Amino acid sequence: MDAETSPDTSTNATSQDSGAPLMNASVGGPSRKRTASLSVEMLQNDAGRRKKTKAEAEAPNSPANDVALVEELSQELQCGCCSELVYQPVIVSPCQHFFCGSCCMLWIRNGGNNCPACRGLSTIVTPSRPLQAIIDALLRAAPHKARTERERQQADEIYRPGQSMRLPAPREITPDPDINQSIDIARPCPHCPLGNPHGWRCPQPIPDPNVDPTHAWHLDDGLPPGHAHCGNCENLLAIRAPSTTKCDLCQVSFCGIGVQGRCVAAPLLAQHPHGMSDIGDLIQSPEIYECFDSNSVEVDLMLDYLTAQRLTPRHIYREVVAHIQTQPRGFAPLIELDLFSDMHPIATGGDANPDGPHNKICRVCAAEVLLWGIREWWVRERQRGFLDEVVMKRKDCPDGRACGHQKDLAHAKEFNHIISPAPSASGGLGPQPQDPPASRATTPLPITTHTATSAIPVEHPLTGSQSVPLQAQVTDPPTP
């Protein structure tokens, strides 16, 4: 049968299954009736899946989302030192790296003077309230992420929450001494050569062994006449040279040439205590804690006070010197205690005269004077009335300074151990009664009064409260 006589056959074949494309039986071409578009079905399925995914994402109590968020935050909030979830966070400025407060405090105590993470030059470390709020929220959602109780106790003994810290400035490196090339033969001092640039020549110049080896001076015979070793750079110096100075306390001479500002014995009030340039040096100095019988609470109170009032170790040194000069015997009691013996690794020019004039001092002896008098300075300073009332009204410990429990943090917070010593019958410096605040006005030294303020909030070691200290009148003897 040809195509013209079989139209019904083509029509019936097309109507059997509308879900599959059929070919025309006679001509083999596609059917004119088409199925529904597959792209529409795919779009409908995709829309359904998207709605389901969005509903799961918006579920407030989705366990998978909570766990992922907790883990991600825990990783981001790790301390750069201990690699644990940061505890009592502090931020280093200006680099903005953050650490546990206790980790940063230990970093400073162990000599760190920059950021522990990037080693960048930094100045101050401050507590971070925004970070603490995030950590608190994280721990409410995941309490198992908290540090152990023992870890928190140990950290709290090192760092008090809310306390700001200062990173000490990098120490100036002392140049290596220009030591004689031979330990057996003396080399000329700076004033020995003819036509030296210092404008003065030794009356007994040391022969140059490279020029005149026959007359070279052998150190086995002692030091060359008219010469000594500098107490700082340890090079030979001319005793009578105009640049040479001598410390009246340790009797060591200084050349005034080797290292400017260090190879010199300066007037008492003009000198800088060695290794005590700022508060950071006091924090790192174990001798400071020894001066306070390892009472860290009292040391922290003093350091907070110095930070708030912007006082430097040199200011304390000047006031200690001014107080010593008002005493009947001056520096004599300190010399009699051999406080300045063996201060330098070289031979001295003799024993100091306790009753002689004491006008010049070296940097090392100045630091010794500071350490000797800083506790009694703090006793006098407390009477000026700038400390919180809760500090001043603590009960005095019955054992006073002799108490063996000052290392106990709780005992040191409860009792006061900075007690006025009894008057000395000898009239020496020894134990002296506390000076009233007005007594400084009677010091026969010119003084300059300046106002020291601070905008740094200081947390009280006893109460934990933060406050900005009031203005304080600070007397500072000018540099001669």
Side-chain angles (χ1 to χ4, degrees):
M1 184 179 294
D2 57 8
E4 296 178 356
T5 61
S6 58
D8 296 337
T9 304
S10 175
T11 305
N12 294 335
T14 305
S15 62
Q16 289 178 0
D17 188 0
S18 61
L22 297 179
M23 303 297 293
N24 188 290
S26 59
V27 297
S31 172
R32 295 180 180 180
K33 187 175 181 180
R34 304 186 62 180
T35 61
S37 174
L38 293 177
S39 62
V40 174
E41 296 177 359
M42 295 176 60
L43 289 175
Q44 291 174 348
N45 293 336
D46 289 343
R49 284 195 297 268
R50 283 198 299 270
K51 289 180 180 179
K52 182 178 180 181
T53 304
K54 183 177 180 182
E56 292 176 350
E58 293 177 351
N61 298 320
S62 175
N65 291 340
D66 289 346
V67 172
L69 179 61
V70 166
E71 292 300 326
E72 185 176 355
L73 282 177
S74 300
Q75 291 293 327
E76 293 294 333
L77 296 175
Q78 283 186 357
C79 170
C81 289
C82 65
S83 298
E84 296 289 344
L85 182 64
V86 67
Y87 178 69
Q88 303 296 354
V90 295
I91 290 184
V92 178
S93 297
C95 63
Q96 298 297 297
H97 289 116
F98 62 87
F99 310 91
C100 299
S102 56
C103 291
C104 197
M105 177 66 77
L106 290 176
W107 170 261
I108 296 175
R109 288 183 180 178
N110 290 330
N113 50 32
N114 50 21
C115 174
C118 65
R119 299 299 193 269
L121 183 62
S122 308
T123 55
I124 191 169
V125 182
T126 54
S128 174
R129 292 182 179 178
L131 270 180
Q132 186 62 59
I134 295 175
I135 293 168
D136 292 341
L138 173 63
L139 293 179
R140 284 194 296 270
H144 63 280
K145 291 290 184 179
R147 307 287 281 268
T148 65
E149 183 178 357
R150 179 57 181 162
E151 288 178 337
R152 296 196 299 269
Q153 289 177 351
Q154 291 176 340
D156 291 340
E157 292 175 359
I158 298 171
Y159 172 76
R160 298 190 313 274
Q163 176 186 5
S164 297
M165 295 174 279
R166 290 185 180 276
L167 286 163
R171 294 180 181 273
E172 180 182 355
I173 301 177
T174 303
D176 294 332
D178 185 14
I179 302 175
N180 294 328
Q181 297 179 4
S182 173
I183 61 174
D184 300 324
I185 300 177
R187 301 280 169 175
C189 80
H191 294 92
C192 287
L194 184 65
N196 67 78
H198 305 293
W200 187 88
R201 188 168 186 243
C202 295
Q204 297 176 295
I206 303 172
D208 189 343
N210 295 327
V211 178
D212 187 7
T214 304
H215 297 89
W217 184 273
H218 291 268
L219 293 175
D220 292 340
D221 300 328
L223 292 175
H227 290 79
H229 284 293
C230 175
N232 184 70
C233 68
E234 301 183 20
N235 295 324
L236 286 173
L237 57 81
I239 296 177
R240 295 172 56 188
S243 61
T244 298
T245 53
K246 186 177 183 180
C247 177
D248 294 329
L249 300 180
C250 65
Q251 297 297 301
V252 172
S253 297
F254 296 84
C255 65
I257 296 175
V259 183
Q260 294 296 324
R262 296 195 176 192
C263 294
V264 61
L268 288 171
L269 293 177
Q271 189 57 277
H272 292 262
H274 179 69
M276 297 288 180
S277 59
D278 54 31
I279 296 178
D281 294 323
L282 296 181
I283 296 174
Q284 298 182 58
S285 173
E287 290 85 359
I288 292 295
Y289 291 86
E290 293 176 5
C291 293
F292 286 83
D293 304 309
S294 300
N295 189 330
S296 60
V297 171
E298 202 63 47
V299 173
D300 289 342
L301 286 171
M302 183 189 70
L303 294 176
D304 289 344
Y305 176 81
L306 295 178
T307 301
Q309 304 299 332
R310 302 185 187 275
L311 302 180
T312 63
R314 190 182 183 209
H315 171 89
I316 302 174
Y317 160 75
R318 287 175 169 181
E319 292 208 342
V320 170
V321 170
H323 177 72
I324 293 174
Q325 290 177 326
T326 62
Q327 304 305 310
R329 299 189 62 202
F331 285 91
L334 281 71
I335 296 175
E336 292 171 352
L337 291 172
D338 291 332
L339 198 65
F340 309 108
S341 299
D342 302 324
M343 299 295 292
H344 302 274
I346 61 173
T348 64
D351 296 332
N353 182 6
D355 299 321
H358 306 118
N359 300 319
K360 291 188 176 181
I361 188 172
C362 66
R363 290 166 56 91
V364 177
C365 288
E368 196 69 19
V369 169
L370 170 63
L371 292 173
W372 180 88
I374 190 170
R375 181 186 175 99
E376 298 307 318
W377 173 84
W378 180 234
V379 171
R380 296 189 298 272
E381 197 71 12
R382 284 160 54 105
Q383 289 193 336
R384 302 184 65 193
F386 296 122
L387 290 178
D388 290 343
E389 186 176 356
V390 66
V391 177
M392 301 303 296
K393 288 194 173 182
R394 284 184 299 165
K395 296 180 293 184
D396 290 342
C397 178
D399 296 327
R401 184 171 184 176
C403 176
H405 300 287
Q406 295 189 55
K407 294 182 180 180
D408 184 354
L409 196 62
H411 180 80
K413 287 182 177 180
E414 182 179 359
F415 293 98
N416 170 48
H417 297 85
I418 304 298
I419 302 173
S420 303
S424 173
S426 63
L429 265 178
Q432 291 292 328
Q434 298 182 30
D435 291 342
S439 65
R440 294 187 182 182
T442 63
T443 302
L445 294 171
I447 59 176
T448 302
T449 301
H450 63 275
T451 301
T453 60
S454 174
I456 303 175
V458 178
E459 181 185 357
H460 201 282
L462 301 178
T463 63
S465 61
Q466 292 188 351
S467 61
V468 177
L470 300 176
Q471 292 185 346
Q473 292 291 327
V474 181
T475 56
D476 188 3
T479 302

